[in-house]
Amino acid sequence: MATLRLAFFNAKGGCGKTTLAWNLAFGLARRGNTLLLDADPQGSLARWGAWSEEGGTGIAVAGSEQLSATLPASLRYLVIDCPPALDAPQTQQALALADVVLLPVLPSPLDLWASQRSVEALLQLQERRSSLRAALLINQSEDRSALSRAAEQAVGTLGLPVLPIHIGRRAVYRSAAIEGKSVYQMGKRGAAAVAEIEQLIEEVRK
Ligand SMILES: Nc1ncnc2c1ncn2[C@@H]1O[C@H](COP(=O)(O)OP(=O)(O)O)[C@@H](O)[C@H]1O
Ligand SMILES: [Mg+2]
């Protein structure tokens, strides 16, 4: 079976690319051979991955040099965490590799404006490559707030489809990261987060 190649991209920092790539990769690794690729030349995720492997809970993490390497035939899922830069060569390489690009956005007006250029870059890419799937993913949503609902409507105006599932704002994403773990290794505390990451997996595998 071909490798499904997913990239998390938004030139805006702090919207959840690394957090979501990390946790999604752990969920996918339960289904098949998965590689998490840290496309940021700073390589912080690659270090985090090595540290997590020492703790015995790791998944395979590669650095940006792997962007131009041949993928092993046995690889089922590739998850790429893009650097927060539109024009970085690593971003361009990552987007060229991807079958599916997810753009995390926070449901706040400032964040949406800051994401506009990234959305436009993807729309341009899709003009040249119509098979490229791209969608916005609302992260850190707070379900019951009217503000969040208004922001969700605003996300819909950016120009790309919005995934029907949201990722909630949950302390366990932060605490898992501090422990070098994913939400899958957090027991009961991670259950709600695991459930939404599983929903995300079902969405991207459609
Ligand atoms: N769903 C979430 N709930 C709570 N905290 C989150 C969530 N997603 C991300 N964070 C936190 O927000 C910060 C920025 O996330 P990060 O994944 O580093 O963004 P990016 O890679 O886009 O710069 C981190 O401190 C991370 O722990
Ligand atoms: Mg990051």
Side-chain angles (χ1 to χ4, degrees):
M1 228 188 254
T3 310
L4 178 63
R5 294 166 296 189
L6 302 153
F8 284 89
F9 163 68
N10 189 338
K12 165 90 176 57
C15 56
K17 294 179 290 294
T18 301
T19 303
L20 295 173
W22 173 256
N23 286 289
L24 187 82
F26 274 84
L28 288 171
R30 294 150 65 104
R31 293 166 163 83
N33 189 2
T34 300
L35 178 66
L36 177 58
L37 202 164
D38 181 4
D40 194 330
Q42 286 190 347
S44 47
L45 188 53
R47 276 198 297 275
W48 198 8
W51 173 49
S52 143
E53 260 180 301
E54 277 169 32
T57 57
I59 48 164
V61 184
S64 59
E65 68 285 349
Q66 284 289 316
L67 279 166
S68 46
T70 310
L71 298 173
S74 62
L75 192 66
R76 185 72 191 88
Y77 301 106
L78 177 70
V79 181
I80 310 176
D81 180 23
C82 290
L86 207 56
D87 302 322
Q90 292 82 5
T91 302
Q92 300 303 317
Q93 275 180 297
L95 295 179
L97 262 181
D99 305 304
V100 181
V101 181
L102 296 176
L103 251 114
V105 286
L106 305 187
S108 89
L110 278 178
D111 239 80
L112 295 186
W113 295 329
S115 304
Q116 186 70 56
R117 283 195 56 215
S118 301
V119 169
E120 280 159 15
L122 280 180
L123 289 170
Q124 273 173 23
L125 207 58
Q126 281 184 318
E127 273 175 31
R128 281 179 274 146
R129 182 152 66 95
S130 56
S131 63
L132 176 68
R133 289 165 60 199
L136 292 151
L137 171 59
I138 296 178
N139 184 27
Q140 299 212 32
S141 82
E142 285 163 291
D143 275 347
R144 278 168 295 278
S145 101
L147 193 68
S148 202
R149 273 200 305 278
E152 276 165 35
Q153 287 180 339
V155 174
T157 67
L158 281 177
L160 276 175
V162 186
L163 286 191
I165 63 127
H166 300 171
I167 304 296
R169 177 187 214 126
R170 301 178 198 282
V172 70
Y173 285 109
R174 290 168 192 258
S175 37
I178 290 166
E179 294 177 32
K181 294 176 179 167
S182 78
V183 291
Y184 287 87
Q185 283 89 43
M186 298 300 281
K188 269 193 181 153
R189 275 196 295 160
V194 165
E196 66 194 6
I197 296 293
E198 289 288 306
Q199 285 186 318
L200 177 59
I201 288 174
E202 292 315 310
E203 276 302 318
V204 297
R205 296 208 311 168
K206 271 181 190 169

